[in-house]
Amino acid sequence: MRDGATLARSGAAVAVLVTEEFLEEAAFIARAVGMPDVPIVRLPHPTAGVGEAAGAAIARQAAADIVDRLRGGLADEHQV
Amino acid sequence: MSTRSERHAAEDDAAAVEELHRRGWTDGLPVIVPTPQRVDEMLVMSGGLDPDVVLGTIGPADGEATVEKVAVNAVMAGCTPAMLPVAMAAVEAVADPAFELSAVQVTTHGLGPLVLVNGPVRRECGIAAGTGALGPGHRANACIGRALRLVLMNVGGGRTGTGDMAQLGHPGKFTYCVAEDEERSPFEPFHVSRGFDVEDSVVTVLGAEAPHSVLCVTDPDEPDPVDRLVRLLGASLANTGSNNVYLGKGNVAVILNPTHAEILAEHPRHVVQERIHAHAWQHRSLLRRLGGDLIADGAGDDRLHVTANPEDILLFVAGGDGQYSVVLPTWAAGTHGSLAISRSVRHEKACMVPLT
């Protein structure tokens, strides 16, 4: 989250991938560093150790969500 | 001496404690209410620093740990004013960028900052180094470590679920402070090995797991007790459940009890470190089997050590005589992999007389 905020501050287009378990922490850190509106893409938790097929499915969905987020879509639903 | 901290009111001490609990500003245990008078009395021992001096930035919330904020949390923790300089040095140490405090706070790994104290301040504050020094009953050990934890929570936002993501944590996250038993150590004092003078008072912090006990029953008739002890310590560090043997970065620590230290006394510290390091490894093939992709592919009989170098195994003496020493695995992740950071303790009293 902190890295995403730093990149966003530099003007780069950013979407931060955050698993469900860490959404609250991500929002806290984003607020703490003064960047509460950095786009977040929500991932299921965990993403590690789910196997190749499930991991690929998560990645496909995340890719689509990232594109939507960077286009300004998925507002609020995926933001904490 | 005015404070810059926000003031709150409560009907009485008991109500104030409940309010502090309600606001999430405690570690779950009752605290000493930080009244302006108590904070002023604490600040007398601020080492000549003004209350608004920033000792460091405390992640993940990037709060500024001013002298006053540390004093407030030191009062809450139950510190006496004499303990404040040690708490301040600990805060400065964890705020060093090389400690990677933000990452240490938010990791899912269960680690807490061990505070090791060397030098004359140990006696001035009564910081225990002997029997049960990491257990209950030693006021300075309990309160100084607790003061640091409260700063990490209240200034750094390190609260469970938001700024502290440890899956379980360990009791050292409440308090984790010990002095080195320099008087019973056969080696040069730990802080001297870090480049300080023997008369300096120094705090060293290390993000560490809970102590892992190492049993070594010594026998005066044994031909080579040194070899057996260093093998045990090395094997204990190379625990396949800890991060270190997989990640191999940063520091780990070994706390020798005085009995075990005496066994190793024929060697200087660096030789003991080398001998422990020589046994602190696992085969790549085993780690691949247990840890999967945590370990890169390669020759199965490669020996992967818990640290890159022997000197990364920090070694000091504490605890009571007997058959148990301990090893402290660490997080070993991040950029530097759990580095120990040392800071001098300021002893001088503040020049200003507190106004009440």
Side-chain angles (χ1 to χ4, degrees), chain B residues 16-29:
Chain B
V17 170
E18 289 305 313
E19 181 63 10
L20 289 166
H21 280 311
R22 190 189 69 77
R23 287 175 179 265
W25 292 345
T26 76
D27 54 6
L29 293 167

Side-chain angles (χ1 to χ4, degrees), chain B residues 293-311:
Chain B
D293 291 338
L294 284 174
I295 298 294
D297 208 356
D301 58 357
D302 280 350
R303 292 182 177 186
L304 303 188
H305 289 259
V306 298
T307 61
N309 305 295
E311 59 266 29

